[in-house]
Amino acid sequence: MTTSTQEQQQSSDLIKVGFSDLKQGEASNQIVAQAHSEDPDTQMAAVTQTRKLLSSDRNPPIDDLIESGILPILVKCLRSTNATLQFEAALALTNIASGTYEQTQAAVQAGAVPHFVELLRSPSLNVCEEAVWALGNIIGDGPHFRDYCIQLGIVEELLKFVAAEIPLNFLRNVTWVMVNLWCIKDPPPSHEILSSHLPALAVLIHHHDSSVLVDPVCALSYLIDNQIQLVIDSDVVKSLVPLLNHPEVEVQTLALRAVGNFVIGADEQIQLVLDCGALQVMDKLLMHPKENINKEAVWFLSNITAGNEEQVQAVIDAGLIPLIISLLDRE
């Protein structure tokens, strides 16, 4: 048809000219005009060009594109049956949601969140993963966005991805979003939400990849500090203590901080950590070449020795006092 042919020519001309030859406002308006097209190729070219502009490392024109009216079009593309168009639109919206609070809010107000949650059920893993990225950016902007995503069912969808067949990079992104859900305070998430995530975290802290481990261990550290009884009831402590022996320093440090939050509590909580074998690895941590780990280990043991007589004796019997004294020779 004549109209489609003209639109395709305009799209081609726009790409050939390049946006360096147009003012940002003019470029944004032309993109929006073409993104409204009924012709699939013209629309795809415009949405792809939008994504490229927003992916720029140097001053992406987020505000210009928002003001030009691109958001409703990108949200509409999330409902497309074309997975490539969905992905391009999702990536563009992810970049918008990674901007300022106001830019994230604009994406939310355009209706993107329900469609992103729906895309978590897409048969295309690329589309699913981009939806995870977008939702993580949105959740990270505050408890009201977090609670809105929870109301739309994000928790149930994310938990489905904690599975052996999920690709590693995808799983890393999922754990990052789960931590965003957990660790935003003022107010914190509900007890029910935290409880629903704990079984998944118990699985994730057995993962072989340290990048996957870091986020759930960090989340557990936060939970032990704020919801200690919930963690005790989940029986996850026995899986956390062995991470004190992990070869990655970051994992070791976070695990030590997490179990350290246990031993600032009652004698019963201290004993729980001791029963899991924490003292058996303390000699290695006290002699660790990283000073920060030495400090965390001494802080941990100082809280143990503030416990009852049997717990103090356990530290002595483990032969740790001479190692603590030897640290006094360091600056």
Side-chain angles (χ1 to χ4, degrees):
M1 294 175 63
T2 305
T3 303
S4 176
T5 303
Q6 289 174 342
E7 287 173 341
Q8 288 177 350
Q9 183 61 48
Q10 288 171 354
S11 175
S12 176
D13 289 346
L14 185 56
I15 294 168
K16 287 177 183 176
V17 168
F19 290 99
S20 60
D21 300 317
L22 296 168
K23 293 180 179 179
Q24 280 191 349
E26 293 175 353
S28 299
N29 290 334
Q30 287 199 34
I31 287 175
V32 172
Q34 291 177 13
H36 272 298
S37 172
E38 297 290 333
D39 177 69
D41 293 335
T42 302
Q43 185 180 54
M44 177 68 78
V47 172
T48 301
Q49 206 66 51
T50 302
R51 184 264 300 165
K52 289 179 178 178
L53 278 174
L54 291 168
S55 300
S56 170
D57 292 333
R58 290 177 130 195
N59 300 318
I62 298 177
D63 288 329
D64 283 336
L65 284 163
I66 290 174
E67 290 170 10
S68 70
I70 195 68
L71 283 175
I73 301 170
L74 294 176
V75 171
K76 184 178 179 181
C77 290
L78 296 179
R79 305 197 302 266
S80 172
T81 56
N82 183 332
T84 303
L85 182 61
Q86 285 180 321
F87 176 79
E88 292 287 348
L91 183 50
L93 286 164
T94 299
N95 289 329
I96 292 171
S98 67
T100 65
Y101 174 85
E102 290 75 17
Q103 291 163 349
T104 302
Q105 187 176 41
V108 173
Q109 290 176 340
V113 176
H115 300 297
F116 277 130
V117 174
E118 180 67 28
L119 288 179
L120 295 178
R121 295 188 283 272
S122 170
S124 166
L125 273 182
N126 284 338
V127 171
C128 282
E129 187 168 10
E130 200 53 50
V132 168
W133 266 113
L135 290 165
N137 285 334
I138 291 167
I139 289 164
D141 262 328
H144 46 294
F145 290 149
R146 175 203 65 198
D147 292 345
Y148 179 42
C149 291
I150 288 172
Q151 289 168 10
L152 292 172
I154 186 176
V155 172
E156 295 80 4
E157 297 303 327
L158 287 176
L159 292 176
K160 294 176 184 176
F161 295 127
V162 181
E165 66 272 14
I166 296 299
L168 184 57
N169 283 336
F170 193 169
L171 188 58
R172 288 171 179 168
N173 294 337
V174 169
T175 58
W176 166 67
V177 178
M178 289 173 68
V179 171
N180 275 356
L181 282 169
W182 280 50
C183 296
I184 295 175
K185 305 177 184 179
D186 303 322
S190 70
H191 187 277
E192 290 73 23
I193 294 300
L194 297 176
S195 297
S196 68
H197 271 66
L198 266 169
L201 289 188
V203 171
L204 289 169
I205 62 173
H206 290 287
H207 204 277
H208 63 87
D209 180 71
S210 58
S211 298
V212 171
L213 276 174
V214 164
D215 284 332
V217 175
C218 182
L220 284 169
S221 179
Y222 164 78
L223 275 180
I224 293 166
D225 198 31
N226 294 274
Q227 296 276 351
I228 190 165
Q229 192 57 49
L230 188 68
V231 180
I232 291 172
D233 293 342
S234 74
D235 205 29
V236 76
V237 183
K238 64 177 65 173
S239 300
L240 187 59
V241 170
L243 294 179
L244 298 173
N245 252 331
H246 197 275
E248 292 288 337
V249 171
E250 186 177 11
V251 175
Q252 269 187 312
T253 304
L254 288 170
L256 185 52
R257 197 163 298 154
V259 295
N261 285 340
F262 258 106
V263 297
I264 61 176
D267 289 353
E268 294 78 15
Q269 294 165 1
I270 294 175
Q271 194 59 48
L272 175 63
V273 175
L274 296 185
D275 291 342
C276 291
L279 290 182
Q280 280 67 51
V281 298
M282 281 297 134
D283 56 343
K284 295 178 183 177
L285 300 179
L286 289 170
M287 294 186 292
H288 200 282
K290 293 289 184 180
E291 184 179 319
N292 187 51
I293 288 185
N294 303 150
K295 289 180 178 179
E296 292 277 356
V298 171
W299 171 72
F300 174 88
L301 290 169
S302 71
N303 285 314
I304 299 277
T305 54
N308 60 40
E309 185 176 339
E310 290 78 12
Q311 290 163 348
V312 174
Q313 190 62 49
V315 174
I316 297 171
D317 292 344
L320 300 175
I321 301 301
L323 296 176
I324 296 170
I325 293 171
S326 71
L327 289 174
L328 294 172
D329 295 332
R330 296 191 186 183
E331 291 184 7

